[in-house]
């Protein structure tokens, strides 16, 4: 039988049973007055039929609690009055837990999928919380009598808590309350109302007991933190409030904020201020991409109405311009600027010698807190023979002054894709090799296919599903040997760029010696507050993960600094809800929130709205109308779950969706906002318009049509 029929049958059965209960006013038998007036009668029956009465009572109790009917409290009193304390405690404890678990299972069967599908995104944090600490939450809820019994059963059924956990925690958690009511039942004559059973003193004790697991967990955490620090001698005074190791995106922002809130902070950098982003990452790569784009425009001159253009260039000069761009940005991240902001800057390699001390250039600095912001380095896979050729990575690529004739780019991620297209545009014969079935693995298949087609149209050879196995040099020819569907493919090259990911810098500066824990992903393991297992050592940026972007490094830096400087008074969990990124291919691919693949994986009930740039006036005028805006929304709602933009300046255009998602602004509001004409940004409004068109109130428009017809005097 299909599951919706089963659900319908269960709803019908429940409806009938609950309906009968109220139609026949069975509730009147489950009142304190009724119980007291018929106590002697019940007692006589029980004395004559003990086993039958106990079994009948058990079953009735299960039914009342499973159907969430009112009367469980009176039944508990009745149990105490008739059976005596211990037998009643036993029967009520098991029947109430069984009934509660049945209610929990029914709520789960009928509603959980729907609730998780509808609110999956918003429930993610609650789900993780329940998975981790659900038992102690439930225990507290069971003990604190403010939360109604039946509500807890039904709500818990909607969470991912296993039924077994629900059962045993409920059994233990409800025991104290059950004992109080059963005991009260043994003195039924003295009870005049249900509300008087729990005296204020007893209520407070229950609340305290309920909070016990939560408080004890907090206490244990604090003890664990103290223990982690106990073996180190704590200086009486500290030179600094904060030592920041690494002056990349994460370290610079950490130091900046620490100085802004008037703490004494030192920033230590062993190589170049600005770290990867400025020196070997975002800045040089975007500068190179810019020159490559100029060339690409030149090649399209005819399209723009020119008879002919020639672009003569020297690759070395292009690379010199890249360096000039880096030099121009350098002052933003310089020692001078940061010293002016109140940060002490030290050039040298830092080593953490204890949670309270860092050694640099032979000098020991004492500090209350340390932020590790040591970044990541290109990961070079152990491919036999690779070390026999002078392979390139994003670290040494920028020293290149001669364009390789044939370039292999190993890796189909963002860095690999950006460099593949840029080098191809300068005229290198580029082969991009990716082990996975598609390049741009994180994006939707339509995005990956589109970028691949663009690459191939620009003369790039894209080899997906190809696993690089070995590098050999045969007759002076360098060859990359790949495995593709069981066969060997040889790719000749003059230079090879390894861009298969970046590995966090965790070694050689004291983390191992201190026993700092490392996550399975190779990043430093942190809690949601970015604290390592030694709580005054925190982490931000690529070394912490899970994202490896400049903007996420800066975002984490704020949390790491505030949590370092103001804990235990105030701490904040890092908010990863709205994380955008952009791959700077041409056209760019920018995304925030969910894409369609993730919406499917999360089993969401979603809708897709696509607006094609070929309809956007400005994109047409620019000759850049290839691409689209794709927005994911919950079915029938304008709330933005995610947006992907493929097109010119996609990274910039995405900002509107990022803002909207962060502040809960829906597509209706974007549609109601004036966007200047003709701009690319209008595409966002047009995408919102597409969504609106798919949700026209057809019935209402039918009435409006009738209204207009009436105004015309009834003519059709
Ligand atoms: C080619 C390329 C292109 C990229 N493009 C983009 C992009 O377009 N957008 C984007 O958002 N991100 C991009 N990234 C990623 C971005 O560069 C990183 O996410 C960012 O730089 C991480 O910053 P971080 O502070 O964590 O680390 P880093 O910038 O790597 O800084 C770490 C610093 O710590 C120093 N250090 C390490 N150990 C010690 C020690 N013991 N003592 C003292 N100093 C130490 C290092 O020398 C380094 O300067 C790109 C990366 C690459 C490689």
């Amino acid at each position: 039988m299909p599951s919706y029929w089963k659900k319908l049958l269960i709803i019908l059965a429940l409806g009938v049973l609950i309906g009968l209960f109220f139609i026949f006013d069975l509730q009147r038998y489950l009142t304190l007055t009724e119980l007291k007036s018929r106590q002697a009668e019940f007692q006589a029956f029980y004395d004559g039929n003990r086993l039958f009465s106990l079994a009948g009572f058990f079953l009735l109790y299960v039914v009342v609690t499973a159907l969430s009917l009112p009367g469980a409290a009176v039944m508990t009193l009745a149990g105490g009055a008739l059976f005596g304390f211990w037998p009643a405690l036993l029967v009520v404890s098991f029947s109430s837990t069984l009934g509660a678990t049945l209610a929990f299972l029914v709520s789960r069967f009928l509603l959980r999928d729907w609730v998780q599908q509808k609110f999956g995104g918003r429930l993610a944090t609650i789900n993780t919380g329940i998975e981790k600490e659900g038992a102690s939450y439930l225990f507290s809820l069971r003990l604190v009598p403010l939360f109604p019994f039946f509500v807890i059963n039904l709500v818990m059924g909607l969470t991912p808590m296993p039924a077994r956990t629900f059962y045993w925690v409920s059994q233990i958690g409800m025991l104290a309350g059950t004992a109080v009511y059963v005991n009260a039942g043994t003195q039924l004559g003295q009870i005049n109302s249900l509300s008087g059973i729990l005296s204020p003193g007893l209520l407070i004790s229950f609340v305290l007991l309920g909070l016990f697991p939560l408080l004890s967990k907090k206490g244990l955490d604090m003890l664990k933190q103290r223990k982690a620090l106990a073996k180190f001698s704590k200086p009486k005074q500290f030179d600094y409030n904060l030592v920041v190791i690494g002056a990349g995106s994460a370290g610079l922002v950490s130091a900046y904020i620490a100085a802004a809130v008037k703490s004494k902070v030192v920033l230590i950098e062993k190589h170049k201020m600005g770290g990867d982003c400025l020196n070997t990452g975002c800045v040089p790569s975007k500068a190179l991409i810019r020159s490559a784009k100029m060339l690409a425009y030149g090649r399209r001159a005819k399209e723009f109405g020119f008879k002919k253009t020639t672009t003569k260039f020297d690759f070395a000069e292009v690379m010199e311009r890249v360096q000039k761009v880096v030099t121009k940005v350098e002052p933003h991240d310089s020692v001078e600027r940061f010293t002016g902001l109140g940060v002490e800057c030290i050039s040298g390699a830092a080593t953490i010698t204890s949670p309270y001390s860092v050694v640099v250039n032979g000098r020991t600095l004492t500090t209350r807190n340390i932020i590790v912001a040591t970044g990541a380095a290109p990961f070079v896979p152990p491919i036999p023979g690779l070390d026999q050729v002078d392979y390139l990575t994003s670290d040494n690529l920028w020293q290149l002054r001669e364009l390789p004739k044939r370039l292999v780019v190993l890796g189909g991620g963002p860095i690999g894709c950006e460099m593949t297209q840029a080098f191809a545009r300068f005229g290198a014969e580029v082969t991009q090799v990716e082990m996975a079935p598609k390049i741009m693995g994180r994006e939707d298949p339509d995005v990956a296919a589109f970028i691949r087609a663009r690459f191939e149209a620009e003369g790039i050879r894209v080899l997906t599903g190809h696993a690089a196995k070995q590098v050999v040099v045969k007759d002076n020819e360098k060859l990359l040997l790949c495995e593709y569907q069981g066969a060997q493919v040889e790719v000749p090259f003059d230079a090879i760029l390894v861009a298969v990911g970046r590995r966090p810098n965790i070694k050689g500066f004291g983390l191992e010696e201190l026993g700092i824990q490392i996550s399975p992903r190779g990043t430093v393991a942190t809690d949601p507050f970015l604290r390592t297992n030694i709580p005054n050592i925190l982490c931000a940026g690529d070394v912490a993960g899970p994202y490896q972007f400049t903007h996420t490094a800066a975002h984490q830096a704020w949390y790491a600094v505030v949590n370092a400087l103001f804990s235990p008074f105030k701490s904040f969990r890092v908010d990863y809800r709205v994380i955008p990124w952009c791959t700077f291919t041409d056209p760019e691919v920018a995304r925030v929130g969910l894409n369609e693949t993730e919406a499917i994986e999360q089993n969401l009930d979603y809708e897709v709205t696509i607006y094609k740039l070929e309809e956007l006036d400005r994109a047409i005028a620019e000759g850049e109308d290839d691409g689209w805006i794709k927005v994911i929304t919950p079915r029938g709602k304008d709330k933005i779950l995610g947006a992907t933009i493929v097109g010119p300046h996609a990274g910039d255009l995405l900002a509107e969706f990022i803002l909207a998602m962060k502040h809960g602004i829906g597509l209706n509001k974007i549609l109601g906002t004036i966007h200047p004409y003709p701009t690319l940004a209008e595409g966002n409004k047009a995408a919102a318009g597409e969504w609106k068109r798919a949700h026209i109130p057809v019935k209402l428009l039918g009435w409006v049509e009738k209204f207009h017809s009436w105004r015309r005097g009834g003519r059709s």
Side-chain angles (χ1 to χ4, degrees):
M1 191 193 296
S3 99
Y4 55 87
W5 277 116
K6 279 190 202 157
K7 284 184 182 172
L8 208 66
L9 272 179
I10 291 183
I11 292 172
L12 264 174
L14 290 177
V16 168
L17 287 174
I18 295 171
L20 288 176
F21 179 84
F22 287 106
I23 290 167
F24 291 105
D25 193 18
L26 299 179
Q27 204 179 346
R28 67 178 187 274
Y29 297 114
L30 297 174
T31 61
L32 192 57
T33 341
E34 177 78 6
L35 173 62
K36 282 175 117 178
S37 66
R38 300 181 65 182
Q39 189 181 0
E41 193 186 324
F42 288 148
Q43 191 68 53
F45 183 80
Y46 172 61
D47 290 341
N49 311 274
R50 292 207 161 202
L51 216 62
F52 178 75
S53 308
L54 281 171
F57 180 88
F58 184 94
L59 270 180
L60 192 64
Y61 206 117
V62 170
V63 171
V64 167
T65 46
L67 294 178
S68 306
L69 297 172
V74 172
M75 283 195 71
T76 312
L77 292 175
L82 299 176
F83 317 140
F85 183 77
W86 289 109
L89 184 64
L90 201 73
V91 173
V92 173
S93 173
F94 278 95
S95 55
S96 61
T97 311
L98 195 62
T101 310
L102 286 175
F104 164 94
L105 288 174
V106 168
S107 143
R108 169 160 295 180
F109 181 67
L110 292 181
L111 292 171
R112 191 177 67 171
D113 285 354
W114 178 80
V115 169
Q116 293 289 345
Q117 210 175 52
K118 201 97 184 146
F119 308 103
R122 258 182 281 166
L123 292 179
T125 325
I126 297 178
N127 288 345
T128 325
I130 291 284
E131 269 160 27
K132 271 191 178 166
E133 296 174 32
S136 57
Y137 288 153
L138 177 61
F139 186 69
S140 306
L141 289 172
R142 285 297 187 207
L143 271 166
V144 180
L146 300 172
F147 306 107
F149 170 83
F150 75 96
V151 175
I152 300 173
N153 304 337
L154 301 180
V155 171
M156 280 293 163
L158 307 178
T159 70
M161 175 176 284
R164 213 176 327 132
T165 311
F166 178 83
Y167 181 89
W168 72 258
V169 176
S170 298
Q171 180 106 49
I172 298 170
M174 293 191 297
L175 204 58
T178 308
V180 171
Y181 274 81
V182 168
N183 186 48
T186 60
Q187 291 133 40
L188 195 61
Q190 292 153 34
I191 300 173
N192 294 320
S193 84
L194 285 175
S195 57
I197 294 170
L198 286 176
S199 66
L202 208 54
L203 257 171
I204 292 171
S205 327
F206 274 3
V207 171
L208 287 180
L209 208 58
L211 293 179
F212 177 74
L214 296 179
L215 294 177
S216 57
K217 195 183 167 300
K218 273 243 176 265
L220 271 177
D221 282 352
M222 275 168 75
L223 266 178
K224 232 165 64 190
Q225 291 181 3
R226 279 184 166 233
K227 214 173 133 203
L229 287 168
K231 50 183 179 240
F232 304 99
S233 72
K234 187 174 176 180
K236 283 209 164 58
Q237 283 186 327
F238 300 95
D239 301 329
Y240 299 95
N241 296 95
L242 182 65
V243 168
V244 179
I245 303 178
S249 314
L252 287 168
V253 178
S254 301
Y256 177 96
I257 297 170
V261 296
K262 304 294 174 202
S263 70
K264 195 164 178 220
V265 52
V266 59
L267 175 64
I268 306 173
E269 171 54 54
K270 71 173 179 185
H271 188 44
K272 286 183 177 173
M273 293 289 283
D276 268 358
C277 185
L278 171 63
N279 299 293
T280 56
C282 335
V283 176
S285 60
K286 267 75 251 179
L288 187 74
I289 286 169
R290 180 69 188 143
S291 296
K293 192 161 187 178
M294 294 281 286
L295 267 179
Y297 277 138
R299 290 193 189 111
R300 292 176 56 199
K302 244 187 166 170
E303 251 182 71
F304 290 89
F306 302 101
K307 288 225 177 325
K308 191 180 169 194
T309 56
T310 48
T311 321
K312 279 194 184 157
F313 75 99
D314 181 345
F315 183 69
E317 282 169 27
V318 171
M319 293 305 264
E320 283 311 323
R321 175 192 175 261
V322 169
Q323 281 318 307
K324 274 190 207 141
V325 172
V326 173
T327 312
K328 201 164 175 182
V329 180
E330 248 167 23
H332 304 168
D333 298 350
S334 64
V335 168
E336 292 71 29
R337 173 160 182 248
F338 276 77
T339 309
L341 290 167
V343 177
E344 185 181 332
C345 300
I346 299 179
S347 169
T351 304
I352 306 175
T353 48
S354 95
Y356 305 112
S357 60
V358 173
V359 172
V360 58
N361 304 332
R363 200 179 132 202
T364 301
L365 317 174
T366 58
T367 176
R368 271 202 90 96
N369 301 289
I370 298 167
I371 289 183
V372 176
T374 49
F379 168 61
V380 179
I383 297 173
L386 185 59
D387 52 357
Q388 304 302 310
V389 293
D390 289 332
Y391 60 82
L392 297 164
T393 67
S394 59
D395 276 354
N396 60 7
L397 178 69
W398 314 106
Q399 276 117 51
L400 212 61
R401 291 296 176 268
E402 206 175 305
L403 182 72
K405 189 171 173 309
R406 294 169 304 174
L407 174 71
V408 163
V409 176
L410 207 56
I415 298 175
C417 284
E418 289 179 8
M419 292 303 101
T420 289
Q421 192 179 35
F423 273 84
R425 287 179 161 189
F426 289 118
E429 287 167 31
V430 183
T431 306
Q432 188 180 22
V433 178
E434 167 59 55
M435 194 162 69
K438 64 180 175 75
I439 56 169
M440 304 195 79
R442 292 179 81 165
E443 307 305 338
D444 275 341
D446 54 352
V447 176
F450 178 80
I451 295 296
R452 181 186 182 134
R454 174 61 78 92
F455 279 12
E456 286 173 342
E458 292 190 16
I460 296 161
R461 189 174 171 215
V462 182
L463 302 179
T464 49
H466 283 65
K469 289 288 173 191
Q470 201 181 347
V471 171
V472 291
V473 183
K474 233 197 299 178
D475 307 327
N476 269 340
E477 174 97 314
K478 293 174 203 158
L479 295 172
L480 174 70
L481 308 184
C482 302
E483 193 184 293
Y484 175 66
Q485 297 183 344
Q488 183 171 291
V489 178
E490 288 185 0
V491 186
F493 65 88
D494 301 306
I496 182 166
L497 170 65
V498 181
V500 292
R502 297 167 50 71
R503 194 169 255 183
N505 292 326
I506 51 169
K507 293 211 166 114
F509 59 97
L511 296 186
E512 301 105 311
E513 291 77 0
L514 283 181
I516 297 284
Q517 285 165 8
I518 304 302
S519 78
R521 280 181 288 120
T523 53
V524 173
T526 58
D527 66 9
F529 302 92
L530 294 174
R531 290 183 300 228
T532 66
N533 53 310
I534 295 186
N536 70 328
I537 302 182
L538 296 93
C539 231
D542 284 5
V543 72
Y547 302 97
Q548 290 188 327
F549 303 116
T550 288
H551 46 275
T552 46
H555 180 69
Q556 288 179 325
W558 183 90
Y559 289 92
V561 175
V562 172
N563 290 340
L565 295 177
F566 298 106
S567 171
F569 307 109
K570 187 78 194 135
S571 311
F572 296 88
R573 282 166 193 267
V574 200
D575 180 356
Y576 289 125
R577 279 172 304 173
V578 183
I579 303 284
W581 61 80
C582 181
T583 303
F584 294 86
T585 42
D586 180 15
E588 293 177 5
V589 175
R591 164 138 86 97
V592 59
L594 299 183
N595 63 6
E596 200 175 349
T597 313
E598 290 166 346
I600 294 168
E601 278 165 7
Q602 293 182 19
N603 201 19
L604 298 181
D605 189 14
Y606 69 95
E607 280 175 19
V608 179
T609 302
I610 294 180
Y611 174 73
K612 292 197 170 161
L613 298 190
E614 65 193 24
E615 290 167 37
L616 187 65
D617 295 1
R618 179 60 185 268
I620 297 168
E622 295 285 316
E624 308 216 293
D625 54 349
D626 245 1
W628 62 87
I629 298 170
K630 183 173 181 180
V631 187
I632 309 287
T633 47
R635 183 165 305 285
K637 297 218 168 106
D638 76 331
K639 180 186 154 76
I640 303 161
L641 298 176
T644 300
I645 305 183
V646 180
H649 301 286
D652 297 82
L653 298 178
L654 191 73
E656 189 166 9
F657 289 112
I658 304 169
L659 185 80
M661 282 186 72
K662 173 82 188 172
H663 300 286
I665 296 167
L667 289 176
N668 276 317
K669 291 244 163 74
I670 291 184
L671 185 62
T673 305
I674 301 175
H675 291 60
Y677 179 85
T679 55
L680 294 175
E682 261 196 317
N684 294 345
K685 182 177 162 131
E690 284 296 313
W691 177 86
K692 192 75 183 176
R693 278 209 295 164
H695 295 86
I696 342 172
V698 181
K699 268 205 174 137
L700 180 69
L701 282 179
W703 285 106
V704 175
E705 195 178 9
K706 285 196 176 105
F707 165 76
H708 289 309
S709 146
W710 167 72
R711 298 260 289 195
R712 288 196 305 274
R715 287 196 178 187
S716 60

